[in-house]
Amino acid sequence: MPKVSIIIAYYRNIGFLKLVLKGFCNQSENSFEVIIAEDDNTLNLDQDLQGCEYIKRLNIQHVNQENKGFRKCRILNKAINCAKSDYIVFIDGDCIPHQSFVKEYIKLKDYDCVFGRRVMLNESYTNTLVKQKEELSIAKVIFNSSKTKHAFYIPFRKPTQESNKGIWGCNWGLHKKYLEQVNGFDMDYQNAGVGEDVDIEWRLRAEMITIHYVKHRPIVYHLHHSTHYDNSVVQKGMKLLESKKRQNLSFCLNGLNQV
């Protein structure tokens, strides 16, 4: 059984996905599986990744669904149900993992739930990487990104509990049993920006599951792209979130068990 199940949330950007999978090929720890959670049904692994070493070198599962709008929470639940490990790590299909990404999450399994942050690559460097003109390097990252304070790998950094820093859906991990305890992601959320991280965080905390922020250890490099949603969409999600909190149901009614 793999030590970790990596769930990659993916939607229609094969160039980005290749870079993410390449990052997982270069991990210092190999005991993991990859589950591509596609909120669509257009990806064909054999054709789209033909000639790439990723298919042979990685243990990949692919789950998908019909495209009926934004249903990220549903496909993430579907991926959780397919996971072979008792520990789940979430990453987005626009984030390249640091080579010690998996190793760090395995080392952090003594904690209930942990999350990291992302380094924001600029458009020019992103285009260079997608065109495969060069390999990702820390030196280039420093000069071609924002939030560079998150780029430095410090393996002895201690996790902390900070109430003012919340989970981001692109870089976090926890034991599968805790996802089952809150019935996974709430599929009532059908817009980006709240349901896949903010909502599930408050429900985990309501169940007294401790959440730790880990700076400089599980690192991801976010590939530049235009924003897929605006603030009005986020506000719509926040209104739904407030109504959910008033109901005080940490075990959501439309989640993991309903897929």
Side-chain angles (χ1 to χ4, degrees):
M1 184 175 74
K3 294 179 181 178
V4 174
S5 293
I6 306 291
I7 295 180
I8 303 173
Y10 170 74
Y11 181 77
R12 293 192 179 184
N13 195 323
I14 191 64
F16 283 10
L17 181 62
K18 286 180 179 180
L19 291 172
V20 176
L21 293 176
K22 188 174 184 179
F24 281 111
C25 280
N26 295 328
Q27 292 297 299
S28 58
E29 166 63 55
N30 296 318
S31 182
F32 65 95
E33 67 169 345
V34 169
I35 306 173
I36 300 173
E38 182 190 13
D39 187 13
D40 198 4
N41 57 358
T42 61
L43 178 65
N44 184 308
L45 289 184
D46 292 332
Q47 293 181 10
D48 294 331
L49 298 178
Q50 189 175 22
C52 296
E53 72 272 24
Y54 320 131
I55 296 296
K56 294 180 181 179
R57 291 175 57 187
L58 293 174
N59 176 14
I60 298 178
Q61 292 190 67
H62 174 215
V63 296
N64 59 10
Q65 62 191 6
E66 188 179 352
N67 190 338
K68 293 183 177 180
F70 184 89
R71 296 193 297 160
K72 182 178 180 181
C73 290
R74 185 180 189 277
I75 199 62
L76 291 177
N77 283 337
K78 190 173 180 180
I80 293 165
N81 283 333
C82 294
K84 296 183 176 71
S85 175
D86 60 2
Y87 194 82
I88 311 290
V89 172
F90 297 96
I91 187 171
D92 282 347
D94 56 9
C95 293
I96 302 173
H98 183 278
Q99 65 182 9
S100 296
F101 181 82
V102 173
K103 180 179 75 174
E104 286 302 327
Y105 271 109
I106 290 174
K107 288 165 63 177
L108 292 163
K109 286 175 72 173
D110 288 342
Y111 297 88
D112 292 349
C113 176
V114 296
F115 67 93
R117 284 292 187 254
R118 56 186 181 171
V119 183
M120 308 295 287
L121 304 181
N122 65 27
E123 184 175 6
S124 175
Y125 192 48
T126 294
N127 290 337
T128 297
L129 293 173
V130 170
K131 293 175 183 177
Q132 299 186 359
K133 291 185 177 180
E134 59 184 67
E135 297 291 316
L136 186 145
S137 73
I138 298 302
K140 289 290 183 69
V141 165
I142 298 303
F143 292 102
N144 290 280
S145 65
S146 60
K147 299 187 179 180
T148 52
K149 63 182 179 180
H150 300 303
F152 300 98
Y153 179 53
I154 307 175
F156 52 82
R157 187 83 183 232
K158 296 289 186 182
T160 59
Q161 292 189 61
E162 299 183 42
S163 58
N164 64 330
K165 295 184 183 297
I167 289 171
W168 281 45
C170 62
N171 184 4
W172 69 293
L174 76 171
H175 296 272
K176 189 176 182 179
K177 64 182 180 181
Y178 297 134
L179 290 166
E180 295 168 343
Q181 189 172 329
V182 298
N183 201 24
F185 295 91
D186 190 335
M187 297 184 295
D188 287 350
Y189 292 90
Q190 297 187 23
N191 292 291
V194 178
E196 69 271 28
D197 43 34
V198 182
D199 173 80
I200 197 167
E201 179 178 350
W202 86 261
R203 291 188 288 115
L204 289 167
R205 291 186 186 278
E207 290 290 309
M208 305 305 293
I209 294 164
T210 57
I211 299 175
H212 285 79
Y213 170 48
V214 191
K215 192 174 183 180
H216 297 145
R217 289 179 62 181
I219 299 169
V220 299
Y221 308 98
H222 180 268
L223 296 157
H224 181 273
H225 58 80
S226 58
T227 303
H228 299 310
Y229 57 91
D230 58 31
N231 189 58
S232 65
V233 170
V234 176
Q235 292 305 311
K236 184 177 179 179
M238 292 304 293
K239 287 181 180 179
L240 179 58
L241 173 66
E242 291 307 314
S243 69
K244 296 281 185 179
K245 286 184 175 180
R246 286 193 294 269
Q247 295 175 51
N248 199 31
L249 294 175
S250 56
F251 187 92
C252 69
L253 302 179
N254 187 24
L256 196 60
N257 294 339
Q258 284 67 50
V259 176

